Amino acid sequence: MTKGVFEIFNEIAKLKTNKAKAEALKQYNLFSIRTILQGCFHPNIKFLLPDSIPPYGEADGTQVETRLHSMAKKLDIFIENGRPVANQSKREMLFIELLESIHPKDALILCEMIQKKPPVKGITKAVVNMAFPDLLPADGPKGT
């Protein structure tokens, strides 16, 4: 059975060392996980959303644990140079709809991501670089 994004991140965050976390993260080399980590830590990814948490209603967490995995491919509509959207209010409305359609803990991870914060405490840029060396630029905003 597939684990939800929040379950994967929480499981990894509980590990003691960065090396153990990176090794565990490698086991979840999924588009959704990599996309969210890039959103959190890549300096060149700019979100076209207010960096505050929007008002949204939480989804019932029982039917949507793994929905973020399939929804991750839509995250490009919220970034600079991503898929075009009619206007800014439409983009913000789509983000709220996304938050309302996924597990509440995954919604919090996306809210952290648009604020460029780690998805959960314990998963750092250093851990991501160890697990996926090609995911982030090596030396700040210059490289891609």
Side-chain angles (χ1 to χ4, degrees), residues 93-128:
M93 199 176 75
L94 288 169
F95 187 65
I96 290 169
E97 287 173 9
L98 173 62
L99 295 177
E100 291 178 343
S101 73
I102 60 177
H103 194 282
K105 290 181 181 173
D106 281 341
L108 289 176
I109 287 171
L110 291 188
C111 289
E112 293 293 299
M113 179 184 75
I114 64 166
Q115 297 176 65
K116 303 302 274 184
K117 294 179 181 172
V120 295
K121 190 172 169 32
I123 294 185
T124 62
K125 189 173 184 178
V127 169
V128 174

Side-chain angles (χ1 to χ4, degrees), residues 14-48:
K14 289 177 188 161
L15 299 172
K16 299 286 184 236
T17 65
N18 282 358
K19 186 173 194 248
K21 291 175 187 178
E23 287 302 314
L25 203 49
K26 283 183 200 174
Q27 304 304 307
Y28 295 104
N29 188 4
L30 304 168
F31 178 81
S32 53
I33 298 294
R34 292 173 66 97
T35 299
I36 291 163
L37 292 172
Q38 271 189 315
C40 291
F41 297 114
H42 199 299
N44 298 337
I45 293 177
K46 309 256 185 291
F47 289 96
L48 300 173

